Amino acid sequence: MDLMNALGEMDREEIISYILSCKHPNGGFGGNVGHDAHLLYTLSAVQVMAILNALDRLDIDSIVKFVSSLQNEDGSFQGDEWGEIDTRFSYCAVCCLAILGRKDAIDTQKAAEYVLKCRNFDGGFGCTPGAESHAGQIFTCVAALSILGQLDKIDADLLGFWLCERQLDCGGLNGRPEKLEDVCYSWWVLSALAILKRLHWINLDKLKSFILQCQDDDNGGIADRPGDVADVFHTFFGLCGLSFCGYPGLKAIDPTYALCADTIQRLGL
């Protein structure tokens, strides 16, 4: 809604109240009321509160304690108390702490070193060391390294080539070789290319046309591909892709934090 300059269409206090009701006693946030806390939902809660200019309503110290408690000795992060490790969680942790102005709460050097261990011969990144390169993981790793000031460790041309090869003849993007196009990769691929300053390596006009074909003309929203059912997930990522394409009426999206550029400016990031 913020991308479309339409935040005023929703009840700000109702959203804030719901987010705060998802707070777990351990300092993190769950996906719904009463759910276990997880880094994924904790970052989403912080992002939404940032959009609503309501970070002052959060107990920041308890969130920082929760996030920092999930860093392992090798620099990786587990998503919750149950121990799953994934580079997604590295991004969630460093992004969350950066928004809160508390990156000092973790070992940032070890965090960067772990992410770099997940780099592959093709320039891409996987969820753990040795795992297959995937566009979603590449975004999380590139964005995390950007926040941590370690972008210089990436071979931008090698990775940029792998990313631009994700564009298919239809204009859409896939997440890895030999897979179908999906609107969500309009975010995962373009965000990484934008951070690497290689966005011009994609045919943005063809991508824009593909995204627009995925709209539901009757009920609104954007689907994963033309003819499928629209959902919030693909609608958000489709709008992000259109923002990167310079589509009229949409705000600029920041490729690192997945927030509108004006919110990033307000936060001083």
Side-chain angles (χ1 to χ4, degrees), residues 58 62 65 95 112 116 130 150-151 189 196 217 233 257-258 264:
L58 296 173
S62 68
K65 183 178 180 180
C95 184
L116 289 167
Q150 303 260 9
L151 271 184
V189 173
L196 298 172
D217 293 330
F233 178 88
Y257 293 95
I264 296 303

Side-chain angles (χ1 to χ4, degrees), residues 19-168:
I19 290 174
L20 294 177
S21 71
C22 296
K23 181 78 179 294
H24 191 277
N26 65 9
F29 287 82
N32 205 338
V33 179
H35 287 202
D36 289 345
H38 196 287
L39 274 177
L40 290 169
Y41 306 120
T42 301
L43 173 59
S44 292
V46 170
Q47 286 174 315
V48 174
M49 295 295 272
I51 291 170
L52 298 175
N53 197 17
L55 290 178
D56 61 326
R57 306 274 288 273
L58 296 173
D59 181 349
I60 292 176
D61 287 341
S62 68
I63 297 172
V64 171
K65 183 178 180 180
F66 169 74
V67 173
S68 61
S69 72
L70 296 173
Q71 186 172 31
N72 299 307
E73 183 61 30
D74 64 356
S76 65
F77 284 85
Q78 56 193 60
D80 56 22
E81 63 180 305
W82 308 113
E84 181 187 6
I85 295 172
D86 191 306
T87 47
R88 291 177 301 158
F89 309 149
S90 294
Y91 170 73
C92 289
V94 299
C95 184
C96 183
L97 293 178
I99 292 172
L100 298 176
R102 294 292 303 277
K103 284 189 295 181
D104 61 305
I106 58 170
D107 189 326
T108 55
Q109 184 58 39
K110 280 190 174 182
E113 289 172 356
Y114 178 79
V115 170
L116 289 167
K117 288 178 184 176
C118 300
R119 181 171 48 184
N120 294 316
F121 71 92
D122 54 16
F125 293 82
C127 58
T128 53
E132 179 185 13
S133 295
H134 186 282
Q137 304 295 151
I138 288 171
F139 158 73
T140 63
C141 292
V142 171
L145 290 171
S146 177
I147 294 170
L148 294 170
Q150 303 260 9
L151 271 184
D152 60 306
K153 303 295 196 306
I154 297 175
D155 186 334
D157 285 343
L158 179 62
L159 178 52
F161 181 74
W162 190 94
L163 288 166
C164 73
E165 280 197 314
R166 305 279 60 78
Q167 189 162 36
L168 305 177

Side-chain angles (χ1 to χ4, degrees), residues 218-230:
D218 296 322
N219 300 311
I222 299 173
D224 56 347
R225 54 186 62 92
D228 287 351
V229 177

